[in-house]
Amino acid sequence: MNKIKIAWWFSLFVLSAVWIVTDPGIFTTREVIPLRNLLVQYSGILAVGWMSLAICLSVRPKFSETWFGGLDKMYRLHKWLGISVVVVSFFHWCMSKAPRWATELGLLVHRKRGPRPHATNQFGDWLSSHRGLAETVGEWMFYGTLILIGIALFKKISYRSFYKTHRLFALIYLGLVFHTIILTKISYWISPVGLVIFPLLVGGVVSAFLSLFKKIGVLRQGYGKIENIEYFPGVKALEVVIKDIRGWGGHKPGQFAYVTSQIEEGHHPFTIASSWKENDAKITFIIKELGDYTGSLKESLHVGQTMWIEGPYGCFTFDDNCPIQVWLSGGVGITPFIARMKYLSETKTSTTQTIYLFHSAAQADEGAFAKLTADAKSAGVHLHIFVDVQGDRLSGEKIRELVKDWRESSFWFCGPLGLGNALKADFAKKGEPINQRFRQELFDMR
């Protein structure tokens, strides 16, 4: 989470700094209209800069995933950049409308605008002739941004609707690029502002076209056929085994993939619940019923059906040097730990780490628990299961009772955000260096 904050504040600092260096009049201007004009330019630079970063992150660049510590962290920054774009775009829109509103309220005397200075070259003349169109395009792109961000944040809207509409951001972004090129001061392009904004616009335009032509992740895609489907009614989860995987470069336990079963539905992120063996190209997913789509899979999927897989993604790969690892899971968050246990068992990897697995389930399912117990025993993992309906809830106090040397442990959590935050806060109160030792998967892609 710290890297997300660092990246956001760094982007604000850089965009603000280059604008101030380029146009320091903000500190000396006292007249209302010139000050308003400066704020319009500044807010525009922030909006297009942040939106460029957001759309670049949306194509899932591999190099940045490593720095952020996983695609889940990148998408959290993507989300906050989107919200920031809405806030600063609203301010930009208000500033652009302010003179008209003030005139209509009698707060400002309307002054007839004189002719604009004649451009000294054909390019400047072309820019000037398209200002009206650029202003109209920018305003409508702002309205479109408000609608699409609202759809993305309102979780009751189906994932399918979110998936289909979110791709429209590429078109909105291209419209805003046109708006930016026409209305940004020409002098900005040969200043520090131009040195920062121009590369962002180029990266954003490339990313927008990758999205429009459905080329995101195309080099990381594979496919296979469903070999087996098993449903566990107690925990409302589906285990799907896909065989004969083609075009897959392998994965580490704890990573996830985007899976497509229906082209019209789009892809969904699911954690991989199996290790990878080159001589037996299979992948297992455990899918929790969390909505209309996942709830319908037990009826819509069938053995022999083709599934498309993109990935792997994520850095939740259990890499640390602590003598003890404490794994914490809730619900379907057990999946990466199952993959890791299968890896330890199948590869007979020797490890000096002592591993404890604490799993919290809302309901009991003897079949699912039996498989989990067998995996833990085979991997040499100390398993503790807590069932909410039986009044047995997972807490920091219970973990500390069962792990006497917990201060020497690293903590790996995957599950409901509320449970993870509660456990993280609990251990922070006990002096645990959570920023270094508490790894939490933010498995929320919208």
Side-chain angles (χ1 to χ4, degrees):
M1 185 65 75
N2 281 343
K3 288 187 176 181
I4 297 174
K5 294 179 180 178
I6 289 171
W8 189 91
W9 283 107
F10 182 74
S11 68
L12 175 63
F13 172 78
V14 170
L15 292 171
S16 300
V18 296
W19 179 77
I20 290 172
V21 169
T22 301
D23 212 338
I26 190 70
F27 298 112
T28 58
T29 302
R30 294 294 180 265
E31 296 182 21
V32 173
I33 295 301
L35 181 61
R36 167 262 185 190
N37 294 340
L38 287 170
L39 291 176
V40 167
Q41 290 289 326
Y42 174 55
S43 56
I45 293 297
L46 281 182
V48 76
W50 275 335
M51 197 165 188
S52 298
L53 288 172
I55 201 166
C56 287
L57 289 176
S58 73
V59 301
R60 306 190 273 278
K62 194 171 183 178
F63 68 90
S64 58
E65 184 180 5
T66 302
W67 187 84
F68 279 103
L71 187 63
D72 57 322
K73 312 301 188 300
M74 285 170 54
Y75 270 16
R76 182 59 60 90
L77 176 60
H78 172 84
K79 175 181 178 179
W80 283 108
L81 286 172
I83 294 172
S84 300
V85 167
V86 169
V87 173
V88 76
S89 294
F90 179 74
F91 178 80
H92 181 80
W93 178 76
C94 288
M95 287 295 98
S96 66
K97 298 290 185 180
R100 180 188 301 175
W101 294 341
T103 300
E104 292 174 351
L105 293 172
L107 301 176
L108 188 68
V109 177
H110 176 70
R111 294 182 180 180
K112 187 176 181 180
R113 178 185 292 177
R116 292 184 180 278
H118 184 70
T120 58
N121 55 65
Q122 290 185 338
F123 179 67
D125 189 53
W126 181 84
L127 291 177
S128 180
S129 66
H130 287 80
R131 288 185 65 88
L133 176 60
E135 289 172 353
T136 301
V137 168
E139 183 171 359
W140 283 101
M141 294 305 99
F142 165 65
Y143 299 147
T145 299
L146 288 181
I147 294 171
L148 294 184
I149 290 290
I151 291 173
L153 295 178
F154 191 58
K155 299 296 182 69
K156 290 187 177 181
I157 295 176
S158 69
Y159 182 90
R160 182 176 182 177
S161 298
F162 158 74
Y163 173 78
K164 288 184 176 295
T165 58
H166 209 63
R167 291 180 61 244
L168 295 175
F169 263 120
L171 290 174
I172 286 178
Y173 177 76
L174 294 175
L176 290 176
V177 170
F178 171 73
H179 173 84
T180 300
I181 292 174
I182 299 297
L183 297 180
T184 299
K185 290 181 180 180
I186 295 178
S187 61
Y188 278 10
W189 297 111
I190 54 174
S191 71
V193 167
L195 292 176
V196 172
I197 291 298
F198 184 74
L200 287 176
L201 292 180
V202 172
V205 169
V206 171
S207 300
F209 279 107
L210 287 175
S211 176
L212 287 173
F213 290 99
K214 299 183 179 180
K215 296 299 182 182
I216 297 176
V218 70
L219 299 179
R220 304 176 72 175
Q221 292 178 352
Y223 65 94
K225 295 185 180 296
I226 296 178
E227 179 185 55
N228 185 61
I229 302 172
E230 186 174 358
Y231 182 66
F232 299 97
V235 292
K236 295 183 178 180
L238 193 69
E239 182 183 81
V240 181
V241 181
I242 305 174
K243 66 175 182 178
D244 300 330
I245 305 295
R246 306 277 182 89
W248 187 255
H251 61 269
K252 294 181 179 180
Q255 292 188 297
F256 68 92
Y258 282 99
V259 182
T260 304
S261 61
Q262 304 168 14
I263 299 299
E264 64 276 9
E265 173 68 27
H267 57 225
H268 289 253
F270 298 124
T271 302
I272 302 169
S274 58
S275 59
W276 177 251
K277 293 177 286 186
E278 293 287 350
N279 59 351
D280 187 18
K282 295 181 180 180
I283 292 180
T284 300
F285 294 97
I286 296 177
I287 303 169
K288 177 77 171 179
E289 291 184 359
L290 296 173
D292 294 340
Y293 172 73
T294 51
S296 68
L297 288 180
K298 61 179 180 292
E299 285 84 23
S300 63
L301 297 183
H302 59 269
V303 173
Q305 180 178 345
T306 299
M307 303 283 279
W308 291 267
I309 309 167
E310 178 197 326
Y313 294 105
C315 299
F316 195 81
T317 52
F318 307 96
D319 300 322
D320 68 42
N321 297 317
C322 292
I324 301 171
Q325 283 192 348
V326 177
W327 300 349
L328 308 168
S329 71
V332 76
I334 189 62
T335 309
F337 304 111
I338 292 175
R340 179 63 174 176
M341 289 190 294
K342 289 185 180 297
Y343 170 79
L344 293 174
S345 176
E346 292 167 358
T347 61
K348 306 300 180 184
T349 300
S350 59
T351 176
T352 58
Q353 291 178 315
T354 302
I355 302 172
Y356 296 85
L357 170 56
F358 295 86
H359 177 59
S360 174
Q363 302 284 341
D365 189 304
E366 296 305 322
F369 289 171
K371 295 185 74 169
L372 184 59
T373 301
D375 286 338
K377 183 177 180 180
S378 180
V381 172
H382 303 280
L383 174 65
H384 301 276
I385 298 176
F386 298 80
V387 182
D388 290 351
V389 295
Q390 297 176 359
D392 194 15
R393 294 183 177 275
L394 179 61
S395 67
E397 183 179 355
K398 291 178 180 179
I399 295 169
R400 289 187 289 272
E401 287 177 1
L402 294 167
V403 184
K404 301 302 181 183
D405 297 325
W406 62 270
R407 291 190 181 277
E408 300 178 21
S409 307
S410 62
F411 295 84
W412 297 77
F413 177 87
C414 186
L417 185 62
L419 176 61
N421 289 341
L423 291 173
K424 188 175 181 178
D426 183 87
F427 277 99
K429 290 180 181 178
K430 298 297 180 179
E432 179 71 8
I434 55 174
N435 290 332
Q436 291 77 40
R437 292 194 181 182
F438 197 103
R439 187 64 178 272
Q440 185 174 357
E441 185 87 317
L442 303 175
F443 208 70
D444 184 5
M445 298 302 167
R446 61 179 292 197

